[in-house]
Amino acid sequence: MATEHPPAEGAQSALSSATQREEKPQKPNYAVKLTLTGHSAAISSVKFSPNGEWLASSAADTLIIIWGAYDGKCKKTLYGHNLEISDVAWSSDSSRLVSASDDKTLKLWDVRSGKCLKTLKGHRDFVFCCNFNPPSNLIVSGSFDESVKIWEVKTGKCLKTLSAHSDPISAVHFNCNGSLIVSGSYDGLCRIWDAASGQCLKTLADDGNPPVSFVKFSPNGKYILTATLDSTLKLWDYSRGRCLKTYTGHKNEKYCIFASFSVTGGKWVVSGSEDNMVYIWNLQTKEIVQKLQGHTDVVISATCHPTENMIASAALENDKTIKLWTSDC
Amino acid sequence: MNLELLESFGQNYPEEADGTLDCISMALTCTFNRWGTLLAVGCNDGRIVIWDFLTRGIAKIISAHIHPVCSLCWSRDGHKLVSASTDNIVSQWDVLSGDCDQRFRFPSPILKVQYHPRDQNKVLVCPMKSAPVMLTLSDSKHVVLPVDDDSDLNVVASFDRRGEYIYTGNAKGKILVLKTDSQDLVASFRVTTGTSNTTAIKSIEFARKGSCFLINTADRIIRVYDGREILTCGRDGEPEPMQKLQDLVNRTPWKKCCFSGDGEYIVAGSARQHALYIWEKSIGNLVKILHGTRGELLLDVAWHPVRPIIASISSGVVSIWAQNQVENWSAFAPDFKELDENVEYEERESEFDIEDEDKSEPEQTGADAAEDEEVDVTSVDPIAAFCSSDEELEDSKALLYLPIAPEVEDPEENPYGPPPDAVPTSLMDEGASSEKKRQSSADGSQPPKKKPKTTNIELQGVPNDEVHPLLGVKGDGKSKKKQAGRPKGAKAGGAISELL
């Protein structure tokens, strides 16, 4: 079900964008467009499809729901996992999904038919995170069994197992040409792997080793965004091992909250927070440009549409809704 | 590919066997696409099998010919393949759809086909007992290249790295350098062996980077030249080879030679046994011999364009040679350093103090300055290894990978099916229909395949009873030699004599 909201409601109003309209937009003015209900338990992840048509959401109710990105209608529900699902990811042609679940498996789904094409078995504990590579012939997964596995989509076989970390792995991501994998873990380290050989190329560690709750490459693959459980987001130049930017002000000490780059309009960094809001920072100046209110529980996932200025956010069990926010910049 | 991060701890050449690619058909020839992501293998049942090199799985099979495929070449953008079969047919294939775009029938068997490196409208064809022919695909026209000595038509040819020139070589060791557009002769020289004896040219291979090329001759010496020196010497010049590579011990004849992706190494496959010899080009020293299964004969050798990986074909199977996977231990922590030998460790005074009294005040200013830099997260840098010195950007429309369809064996049993009171799901938008052409086959009806245009190429003075070397000796219905990849029985040989 989707409920329509009049534009101004529910969003902390930014400065009037008309007066701010110079060459570079200074602040976005995201406001709730739709609220999507349908899950019956805490939502774990929301992702837009690469073609921008759909939004996939996974939840603790063992379901994956595919929604229309523009109308918010529930298009399909995928059944199959028998325990909570922690992550879901799209293939590059938006035709397939992979999901990671506490039942120690990943499932590969065909979106049009809603059928499960393959079940990837091999992990020995909860599978927490998953992603396709850009050619979408490989899937990478990270698990509580402290390993990263690379799977072949065609046969469902595990091609490589990387003994990546010494604690549960919270996030895995391919770079834009599929040659590198980054993994983040509760042991406080981010590691970069060569996708073809499985060799570890680099390790990034911060002082104090706070658990890494999320990690992803920037759209051009040159930088890594990490989130740590000391309420900090950092942008790293991994080839030099230097932290370039730090984003703070939100609350993140317990959950693995997804963060995202917003590059369709102004360049922002978007993240959920444990104070029930979505935070948006200016990528270069690091200041908070907007805080989106409306959820009634921890915002666990925030993601940006590939072409429109649209953010989807999802919250845990007191809320169970997904909100779609749109902005002029 | 972040090649700066990939510090290779071994040398830049393979050191050991790393598995095989097995398919039902017997492989005869193989070639990597420009990025090394796909390997096209021509087989003796006429099929072209395209392997996804990342997953080592089959990405596509094109049922190209009825007769064995003897030569293959990828187009620069990766969308097309040109193939030659032992029944004298040259075809161009669209890789994504598997359709044949065009066909050319030649009077004699084809030894080699090669796309112009920068213009995929032009294809160089080397038929047996004929001067090389350059085809223009758009108008199906052809140009016969001039040769030196009309009485000797055992000519091989190759484009240079950028396609500006075509190098041809004949059985008397004469190399001609022709300008591609005009076929004008700009340089020539003769390869002599011993004291001015001539030797037949078996093949000419160019490196992917730089201006070097090698000539494989019947005297079992591989001569490496710099293309620029050849042009400077002009007609009837006497350039000196940079290197002369040979196996002095066994006097090994070479079946196939090629350069590494960066042009620094040369691999040559022995024609007598399953062995690959690797030399360093600048020094000329032999760095490695890779040994395959005894008793097998090599048919083809190809070096990966970017990685230190070699693919070789023997007994119908593609073997992969790669580097020893050495774990880079210093990558596992930011302050780890690998040592080659034991080092006596000297403790600092304050090493085990709980509070480090000797530590100086940490530098603050450096970190802050860095945080104010503009960061660009969206623009993508082209990968240097894939770009040529005369081109700025990578081709964004290039085909690097083929769409993969997961194999579905049985539909999954789903005990956790939709509950009876589930919200009825509406059909997916036909926004999915635009994705249809990216999904693999078995997807409803396909439009009827259009018949490819077939052009007969007439060549003067070319004998029409030649048999391709892969099939055996000329005039033989059955081949006496037991060559790997020979098609079963004598059907192919017999069929050819019927066609001609």
Side-chain angles (χ1 to χ4, degrees):
Chain A
M1 288 304 159
T3 48
E4 193 86 43
H5 294 256
E9 185 207 271
Q12 186 172 5
S13 52
L15 291 169
S16 154
S17 43
T19 55
Q20 292 278 18
R21 196 139 298 161
E22 350 173 34
E23 286 122 358
K24 260 205 187 126
Q26 295 298 313
K27 287 181 198 280
N29 58 349
Y30 277 96
V32 173
K33 184 172 155 222
L34 294 167
T35 300
L36 316 181
T37 52
H39 279 295
S40 53
I43 302 174
S44 52
S45 169
V46 280
K47 300 268 176 76
F48 280 106
S49 63
N51 65 3
E53 300 266 324
W54 300 301
L55 181 73
S57 64
S58 61
D61 57 7
T62 78
L63 305 178
I64 300 164
I65 299 184
I66 300 176
W67 315 81
Y70 301 108
D71 60 9
K73 291 210 174 70
C74 167
K75 303 285 186 194
K76 224 164 190 72
T77 308
L78 306 181
Y79 303 88
H81 280 294
N82 45 359
L83 283 179
E84 294 86 330
I85 306 176
S86 301
D87 196 6
V88 69
W90 290 89
S91 67
S92 310
D93 59 2
S94 306
S95 68
R96 294 193 197 107
L97 282 171
V98 63
S99 58
S101 166
D102 284 358
D103 62 10
K104 305 185 200 165
T105 69
L106 294 117
K107 278 186 187 288
L108 181 67
W109 308 85
D110 174 61
V111 165
R112 253 181 345 137
S113 63
K115 282 203 172 47
C116 170
L117 295 173
K118 282 216 178 302
T119 302
L120 312 179
K121 298 187 187 155
H123 276 296
R124 287 165 300 158
D125 207 335
F126 310 143
V127 191
F128 196 68
C129 44
C130 57
N131 250 312
F132 277 93
N133 68 341
S136 298
N137 53 3
L138 293 179
I139 290 172
V140 66
S141 63
S143 161
F144 268 43
D145 67 6
E146 301 167 10
S147 73
V148 169
K149 278 183 188 286
I150 303 177
W151 310 81
E152 184 187 356
V153 168
K154 189 161 177 152
T155 54
K157 262 185 352 185
C158 174
L159 292 179
K160 283 198 182 58
T161 303
L162 313 178
S163 307
H165 291 275
S166 48
D167 266 322
I169 296 174
S170 50
V172 283
H173 191 227
F174 275 99
N175 69 340
C176 54
N177 59 22
S179 56
L180 300 175
I181 296 170
V182 66
S183 64
S185 160
Y186 278 14
D187 63 5
L189 303 175
C190 284
R191 291 209 158 115
I192 298 173
W193 310 83
D194 173 44
S197 62
Q199 248 199 331
C200 176
L201 299 177
K202 197 130 188 143
T203 302
L204 300 175
D206 214 356
D207 300 329
N209 280 10
V212 176
S213 55
F214 179 72
V215 68
K216 85 183 285 189
F217 279 103
S218 64
N220 63 359
K222 285 215 286 212
Y223 307 100
I224 288 180
L225 182 68
T226 63
T228 42
L229 292 184
D230 57 354
S231 304
T232 312
L233 281 158
K234 286 189 175 188
L235 188 71
W236 295 79
D237 173 358
Y238 59 84
S239 43
R240 265 170 263 152
R242 265 191 348 180
C243 168
L244 297 177
K245 308 270 181 198
T246 308
Y247 308 94
T248 51
H250 62 306
K251 182 154 175 276
N252 185 5
E253 283 157 9
K254 196 165 159 209
Y255 293 97
C256 291
I257 296 182
F258 285 85
S260 188
F261 290 93
S262 171
V263 298
T264 45
K267 305 274 187 285
W268 322 116
V269 171
V270 178
S271 171
S273 166
E274 286 155 14
D275 59 8
N276 307 355
M277 293 198 279
V278 177
Y279 279 70
I280 307 179
W281 292 263
N282 181 311
L283 178 83
Q284 312 292 355
T285 69
K286 304 162 288 186
E287 44 174 31
I288 298 175
V289 291
Q290 208 183 351
K291 295 198 275 202
L292 310 181
Q293 274 177 357
H295 282 290
T296 53
D297 201 348
V298 170
V299 178
I300 191 75
S301 179
T303 184
C304 301
H305 192 277
T307 49
E308 308 280 330
N309 295 329
M310 182 164 24
I311 293 176
S313 61
L316 297 184
E317 57 265 2
N318 270 345
D319 179 305
K320 297 195 275 275
T321 66
I322 300 167
K323 287 189 188 288
L324 293 176
W325 315 76
T326 50
S327 161
D328 296 322
C329 64
Chain B
M1 190 170 314
N2 236 308
L3 289 175
E4 304 98 54
L5 266 188
L6 276 179
E7 302 149 79
S8 47
F9 271 74
Q11 299 300 317
N12 288 328
Y13 51 84
E15 289 177 316
E16 55 179 30
D18 185 26
T20 60
L21 301 179
D22 255 317
C23 59
I24 316 165
S25 330
M26 293 191 64
L28 294 179
T29 178
C30 65
T31 176
F32 283 101
N33 70 352
R34 187 174 152 212
W35 307 275
T37 52
L38 297 171
L39 178 70
V41 177
C43 304
N44 74 338
D45 56 6
R47 294 202 283 187
I48 301 173
V49 181
I50 301 179
W51 293 84
D52 178 333
F53 212 65
L54 189 59
T55 57
R56 304 266 177 104
I58 296 181
K60 198 173 188 89
I61 299 182
I62 301 179
S63 295
H65 295 272
I66 312 166
H67 291 280
V69 179
C70 50
S71 180
L72 281 174
C73 186
W74 286 91
S75 67
R76 186 170 172 78
D77 67 359
H79 277 277
K80 307 279 182 195
L81 271 173
V82 64
S83 69
S85 69
T86 52
D87 62 352
N88 317 351
I89 295 188
V90 171
S91 309
Q92 171 173 271
W93 304 90
D94 180 272
V95 174
L96 265 181
S97 64
D99 292 334
C100 177
D101 292 338
Q102 265 197 77
R103 276 201 331 213
F104 298 86
R105 195 186 297 276
F106 281 79
S108 67
I110 311 297
L111 295 172
K112 176 175 168 179
V113 286
Q114 187 187 15
Y115 274 106
H116 185 297
R118 297 291 158 91
D119 177 7
Q120 32 195 84
N121 192 30
K122 295 202 172 76
V123 176
L124 181 66
V125 181
C126 300
M128 278 178 79
K129 291 284 189 295
S130 157
V133 173
M134 190 157 66
L135 292 173
T136 314
L137 295 176
S138 51
D139 56 9
S140 304
K141 291 216 172 75
H142 68 279
V143 169
V144 178
L145 299 178
V147 289
D148 181 55
D149 180 356
D150 281 339
S151 61
D152 164 37
L153 287 174
N154 286 315
V155 185
V156 293
S158 175
F159 281 108
D160 75 338
R161 180 173 69 96
R162 293 203 191 143
E164 272 183 82
Y165 300 100
I166 299 177
Y167 284 60
T168 70
N170 67 6
K172 304 224 173 96
K174 189 74 184 274
I175 303 279
L176 301 179
V177 183
L178 308 166
K179 200 121 180 44
T180 307
D181 307 324
S182 58
Q183 293 98 51
D184 288 337
L185 181 67
V186 297
S188 63
F189 64 99
R190 193 182 292 275
V191 176
T192 52
T193 188
T195 47
S196 70
N197 286 332
T198 61
T199 174
I201 310 285
K202 287 169 44 175
S203 72
I204 307 172
E205 308 280 347
F206 279 82
R208 283 183 202 256
K209 291 230 175 290
S211 52
C212 293
F213 66 97
L214 62 82
I215 300 182
N216 182 14
T217 40
D219 65 352
R220 305 166 190 202
I221 299 177
I222 301 168
R223 292 172 173 77
V224 184
Y225 294 88
D226 184 331
R228 294 169 296 187
E229 196 190 329
I230 308 298
L231 295 173
T232 324
C233 289
R235 297 194 198 183
D236 294 318
E238 287 178 8
E240 274 299 309
M242 295 168 50
Q243 294 293 351
K244 282 162 88 157
L245 309 172
Q246 55 187 315
D247 176 10
L248 283 163
V249 175
N250 300 315
R251 299 262 303 140
T252 306
W254 308 109
K255 178 80 181 166
K256 169 86 192 279
C257 319
C258 59
F259 284 88
S260 64
D262 55 5
E264 291 305 315
Y265 293 90
I266 292 167
V267 63
S270 157
R272 275 211 211 115
Q273 50 168 322
H274 191 168
L276 300 169
Y277 288 62
I278 304 178
W279 292 268
E280 196 172 338
K281 179 196 82 172
S282 44
I283 308 176
N285 58 329
L286 181 69
V287 293
K288 187 89 191 163
I289 304 177
L290 298 169
H291 290 283
T293 319
R294 292 196 60 169
E296 290 185 350
L297 280 181
L298 275 174
L299 281 178
D300 203 355
V301 178
W303 198 309
H304 191 282
V306 189
R307 291 187 172 257
I309 297 177
I310 292 176
S312 69
I313 297 187
S314 62
S315 297
V317 166
V318 181
S319 309
I320 307 289
W321 307 85
Q323 283 185 327
N324 219 340
Q325 269 316 324
V326 176
E327 226 18 288
N328 174 9
W329 298 111
S330 57
F332 277 91
D335 47 3
F336 274 9
K337 237 173 31 174
E338 275 200 33
L339 299 171
D340 288 330
E341 45 179 35
N342 288 337
V343 166
E344 279 287 325
Y345 185 67
E346 290 185 14
E347 287 171 21
R348 284 179 300 145
E349 268 292 319
S350 56
E351 182 87 40
F352 293 104
D353 292 352
I354 293 180
E355 249 191 49
D356 195 348
E357 293 152 357
D358 286 348
K359 190 164 77 169
S360 51
E361 278 301 308
E363 294 280 322
Q364 288 291 352
T365 49
D368 286 347
E371 292 231 343
D372 287 334
E373 277 170 33
E374 280 266 326
V375 172
D376 177 7
V377 292
T378 43
S379 40
V380 183
D381 286 339
I383 298 171
F386 294 150
C387 293
S388 313
S389 42
D390 60 340
E391 285 178 334
E392 293 277 314
L393 307 163
E394 287 178 62
D395 188 349
S396 53
K397 293 202 259 336
L399 180 69
L400 276 87
Y401 292 96
L402 292 177
I404 295 283
E407 299 158 2
V408 188
E409 310 96 9
D410 319 304
E412 293 252 335
E413 276 299 317
N414 202 348
Y416 302 95
D421 55 350
V423 175
T425 56
S426 53
L427 278 171
M428 297 299 270
D429 252 350
E430 279 322 288
S433 61
S434 62
E435 308 299 348
K436 253 199 186 130
K437 60 174 168 348
R438 298 278 243 100
Q439 288 198 348
S440 80
S441 53
D443 227 51
S445 59
Q446 288 175 324
K449 288 201 172 150
K450 53 184 202 303
K451 229 170 145 26
K453 175 176 164 197
T454 307
T455 312
N456 283 319
I457 303 284
E458 306 288 330
L459 294 175
Q460 296 212 335
V462 177
N464 54 5
D465 58 349
E466 288 293 324
V467 173
H468 196 282
L470 267 179
L471 297 177
V473 181
K474 166 180 162 182
D476 250 8
K478 297 182 182 141
S479 166
K480 290 188 189 114
K481 288 191 277 191
K482 288 219 184 291
Q483 276 186 332
R486 180 171 69 90
K488 293 200 176 113
K491 268 191 258 179
I496 283 190
S497 49
E498 276 177 326
L499 265 182
L500 299 172

